[in-house]
Amino acid sequence: MAAQQNHTAHRLLARYRIRPTKRLGQNFLVNRGVLEKIVRAVAPEAGERLLEIGPGLGTLTRLLAMAGAHVTAIEADRRMVELLEAELGGRPNVRIVYGDILEVDLDALIPTPRWRAVGNIPYNISSPILFLLRDQRQLFSEAILMLQKEVAERLTARVGTKEYGLLTIGLGAVGTCERIFDVAPGSFWPPPKVTSSIVRLRFPELPPYPMLDLAAFTRVVRAAFGKRRKTIRNALVMAAAEGQYGFTPTPRAIDVALSTAGIDPVLRPETVTIAHFAALTGALAT
Ligand code: SAH
């Protein structure tokens, strides 16, 4: 089964004379079983609008469209766009857009929010894509993404573990993340060096911290993690003294805010919960 799909992917690549480009993070999913599992995880409703990031050869695009979704797929590789237009362009519920997901005008692309985002995304830009989706969450209710397992573990990390950090807190402050299943390197061509995971990010209409000023929160969290092995108090004071991350409160203001937020100043930042970082952000603002 997998071999047959591999053959299909190879045939498409050969027919269009395309060699996968490392720079664009091109690892194409060739395992039919995994593709079907992703479609089941997405479970598109008939007529639902999806944004697919990095459709590549269009294998997932095709299955999502066959499941009844209206797919807008944004692809940065001209050669892929030509292939996609030829293979799928005739379908009324598939729209191919040539562009860079990090540069495109998403408001223009998505006139009727909120859509869901889907994609086996390029791993070299997965963090910027995750933060982009977060910051554009007025457009997206959910994202189902293929990521490096290591990134998926950071997204779903528990407080106090070594995976817990900027990604966990930055995304956890506005939604939830669930690792659905793992995918072995052999399911791709060419195979990546790492295991992958499918994750589901949800950006609920009512976010976990409705009053949170996300820009201020980001400055606080960056300042706290700027010096990883320091206590949270010392990390914040040092970041403020150096004027890093636009974080500028006085040592006194930091001490008062830590106390107001109920955070023990000698804790390491990786042991401070998202709720406490949110409380600290609020306390620093007053
Ligand atoms: N979804 C396909 C392809 C995954 S490979 C599959 O599962 O087989 C990642 C895809 O993202 C490639 O097609 C690559 O060209 C595309 N890509 C890379 N950088 C991109 C960017 N900045 N914006 C949009 N697409 C990008």
Side-chain angles (χ1 to χ4, degrees):
M1 191 65 163
Q4 199 184 341
Q5 279 307 304
N6 203 343
H7 177 67
T8 302
H10 279 293
R11 212 177 51 206
L12 277 172
L13 290 168
R15 189 187 309 151
Y16 292 87
R17 298 176 204 283
I18 295 173
R19 289 225 276 141
T21 309
K22 211 172 179 174
R23 183 179 57 82
L24 289 168
Q26 290 179 348
N27 300 101
F28 302 106
L29 248 179
V30 295
N31 184 317
R32 175 91 188 183
V34 172
L35 283 160
E36 285 171 353
K37 227 167 139 180
I38 296 172
V39 175
R40 278 201 299 278
V42 177
E45 286 172 29
E48 179 184 357
R49 312 251 159 204
L50 299 175
L51 179 74
E52 187 184 357
I53 303 167
L57 302 172
T59 38
L60 183 60
T61 322
R62 180 189 298 271
L63 292 181
L64 292 169
M66 280 167 56
H70 283 258
V71 187
T72 296
I74 178 155
E75 172 57 59
D77 186 335
R78 242 275 156 247
R79 306 167 306 167
M80 297 296 162
V81 170
E82 278 166 25
L83 178 154
L84 290 160
E85 284 292 358
E87 298 289 323
L88 297 171
R91 288 175 186 259
N93 56 340
V94 175
R95 179 171 157 224
I96 309 297
V97 177
Y98 173 45
D100 179 336
I101 182 63
L102 299 177
E103 302 287 337
V104 71
D105 179 354
L106 282 175
D107 283 309
L109 211 58
I110 302 179
T112 53
R114 295 164 88 206
W115 291 15
R116 292 195 292 160
V118 180
N120 165 21
I121 64 176
Y123 292 169
N124 51 347
I125 52 168
S126 57
S127 282
I129 291 176
L130 288 166
F131 282 105
L132 173 79
L133 293 170
R134 180 193 76 162
D135 293 336
Q136 298 290 330
R137 64 195 176 283
Q138 79 282 1
L139 300 175
F140 302 104
S141 58
E142 193 174 303
I144 291 135
L145 303 173
M146 178 87 78
L147 299 166
Q148 269 176 261
K149 183 177 168 195
E150 184 204 321
V151 174
E153 283 171 345
R154 280 156 63 195
L155 280 171
T156 56
R158 280 166 196 270
V159 64
T161 63
K162 71 175 191 313
E163 291 80 17
Y164 180 83
L166 296 181
L167 212 49
T168 328
I169 299 167
L171 275 296
V174 299
T176 59
C177 179
E178 167 199 1
R179 189 165 129 214
I180 314 180
F181 59 90
D182 292 345
V183 182
S187 295
F188 302 84
W189 195 86
K193 291 203 172 61
V194 294
T195 299
S196 302
S197 303
I198 289 286
V199 303
R200 183 194 309 274
L201 293 161
R202 284 201 174 97
F203 302 120
E205 206 101 45
L206 188 64
Y209 307 100
M211 304 305 284
L212 188 62
D213 173 346
L214 198 55
F217 178 79
T218 303
R219 289 193 290 274
V220 172
V221 177
R222 281 188 192 282
F225 279 87
K227 306 272 187 305
R228 253 250 175 185
R229 278 173 299 280
K230 296 251 176 291
T231 65
I232 185 161
R233 193 256 174 200
N234 288 349
L236 291 172
V237 168
M238 285 179 73
E242 292 168 18
Q244 282 176 305
Y245 318 105
F247 184 78
T248 53
T250 63
R252 165 96 188 122
I254 289 169
D255 287 332
V256 171
L258 283 167
S259 159
T260 305
I263 300 171
D264 183 341
V266 304
L267 288 179
R268 309 280 157 182
E270 61 270 27
T271 66
V272 175
T273 63
I274 298 174
H276 273 124
F277 275 115
L280 179 61
T281 306
L284 280 164
T286 54

